[in-house]
Amino acid sequence: MIRPKSIRPFIGSKDFETSRRFYSELGFEETVLWQGFSVFKIGSFAFYLQDDYAKDWVENTQVFLEIEDVPAFWEHLVSLGLPSKFQNVKITAVREETWGRECFVHDPSGILWHFGEFRDL
């Protein structure tokens, strides 16, 4: 039987230093593991950021992060002003879906982040 403790996706970056700054501003805590490779954590969630860019891979990467309060997160996200600080960053407002709600962030490299919460069924 598998008893998972965490899952940590590996994501690439077009400009590693820009992506590092972006994720730090978004609220993640960085631990540099070695040059061009860091782990970013927030709560019990973590992912690896690497100085590696393959256009088809990076621009087709999506990550879903389940959060508790999408509207509150959206307000916080807007207050950060990330699109004005980072080229190519886009944020998309909260959408209500049959399963719950979510908002979106495209990072500087084109990775699409879904920040969502599920409805109690």
Side-chain angles (χ1 to χ4, degrees):
M1 173 182 270
I2 297 174
R3 293 190 175 160
K5 291 175 73 176
S6 71
I7 186 166
R8 294 183 179 186
F10 289 74
I11 65 173
S13 59
K14 193 172 192 175
D15 179 324
F16 186 67
E17 295 304 318
T18 298
S19 291
R20 289 177 67 207
R21 286 193 329 273
F22 171 79
Y23 286 111
S24 292
E25 286 217 24
L26 193 54
F28 289 89
E29 181 180 320
E30 179 184 17
T31 301
V32 175
L33 300 175
W34 56 79
Q35 184 175 351
F37 193 75
S38 293
V39 63
F40 283 82
K41 296 179 184 179
I42 194 164
S44 61
F45 175 80
F47 67 93
Y48 295 108
L49 179 70
Q50 50 194 339
D51 189 8
D52 188 15
Y53 180 75
K55 182 177 172 49
D56 288 343
W57 166 50
V58 171
E59 291 184 3
N60 286 292
T61 298
Q62 296 185 45
V63 179
F64 184 96
L65 181 59
E66 183 180 0
I67 59 177
E68 291 184 4
D69 188 340
V70 171
F73 175 75
W74 172 253
E75 294 300 320
H76 171 69
L77 188 59
V78 169
S79 76
L80 295 174
L82 297 172
S84 65
K85 297 176 185 176
F86 297 93
Q87 188 175 3
N88 300 322
V89 168
K90 295 180 257 180
I91 61 174
T92 304
V94 177
R95 281 201 246 179
E96 296 287 335
E97 304 289 350
T98 56
W99 54 266
R101 55 188 165 193
E102 66 182 333
C103 62
F104 306 90
V105 177
H106 282 89
D107 86 349
S109 300
I111 292 172
L112 176 59
W113 283 78
H114 301 245
F115 293 92
E117 63 182 300
F118 297 102
R119 292 191 200 292
D120 292 329
L121 299 176

